[in-house]
Amino acid sequence: MSGPINKLDDTSNLYNKAGVMPYARIFASDRLTQGVDVEVVWQGDSKAFAGVYLMLDETTGEIVKIGETRNIYSKFNTQYKCIRNSTNDRIREYVREIGSVKVYAVEAPTMDIDYFGHKIKLTCCRAIERIMLSDYIASHGEYPVLNKYNR
């Protein structure tokens, strides 16, 4: 885990070692009420998976958010695009006022377990997100600008 992790163009950084790949682009659009739209560019087998994602300012390449989700397709194609809450509103405001963001993602390992006859899917998304945030903070002394902890 050497070198600064501000951008994804350094192949020695943790993100590239983890297999982070392009997932989507969020851009300003008058097509939807919330003012942003999403174009999913993921080339993997399934667009819906548990994983960790990084949002990068499309112009500068700077990482502006690190997050995790149990369903990345829903997170971007429904929540960030349509659902109103403080996080989604903050991201949409950034996109409308500052510019588009590119989204990169990595699928998190998952495991199905049987718990007294109930099937439970476990994932380590949150742990991977924490590792990436810690690495980012170690390099920058603060959270990415759109992470809620930065407020």
Side-chain angles (χ1 to χ4, degrees):
M1 292 191 279
S2 62
I5 57 165
N6 201 35
K7 299 184 180 183
L8 292 180
D9 56 6
D10 175 7
T11 57
S12 69
N13 74 41
L14 171 65
Y15 304 137
N16 286 307
K17 289 178 181 177
V20 174
M21 301 294 291
Y23 185 80
R25 179 175 175 261
I26 305 175
F27 55 95
S29 172
D30 293 332
R31 186 177 81 81
L32 300 169
T33 305
Q34 303 297 346
V36 301
D37 208 344
V38 176
E39 172 190 15
V40 176
V41 298
W42 182 257
Q43 299 297 313
D45 294 337
S46 172
K47 291 181 175 150
F49 55 85
V52 177
Y53 61 89
L54 304 126
M55 290 183 184
L56 281 71
D57 183 289
E58 191 169 58
T59 303
T60 66
E62 305 284 321
I63 294 170
V64 295
K65 178 161 177 53
I66 298 171
E68 58 88 18
T69 181
R70 292 182 58 82
N71 184 330
I72 198 160
Y73 186 78
S74 174
K75 176 68 87 177
F76 287 95
N77 212 41
T78 302
Q79 295 176 36
Y80 282 145
K81 191 160 73 171
C82 304
I83 305 296
R84 294 211 51 192
N85 66 35
S86 61
T87 299
N88 297 347
D89 292 347
R90 185 171 56 252
I91 290 165
R92 285 192 292 264
E93 179 182 7
Y94 183 93
V95 169
R96 288 189 309 265
E97 311 254 334
I98 308 293
S100 301
V101 295
K102 290 182 179 180
V103 179
Y104 291 78
V106 61
E107 190 168 355
T110 58
M111 179 175 61
D112 293 324
I113 65 166
D114 185 303
Y115 185 74
F116 297 105
H118 298 277
K119 298 224 183 276
I120 300 173
K121 184 176 287 283
L122 300 176
T123 179
C124 57
C125 294
R126 182 141 308 159
I128 295 169
E129 176 198 33
R130 295 289 170 225
I131 291 167
M132 289 183 169
L133 281 168
S134 294
D135 204 33
Y136 184 93
I137 293 164
S139 293
H140 297 85
E142 62 185 1
Y143 286 91
V145 67
L146 292 177
N147 279 82
K148 68 180 178 181
Y149 313 105
N150 203 27
R151 299 267 169 220

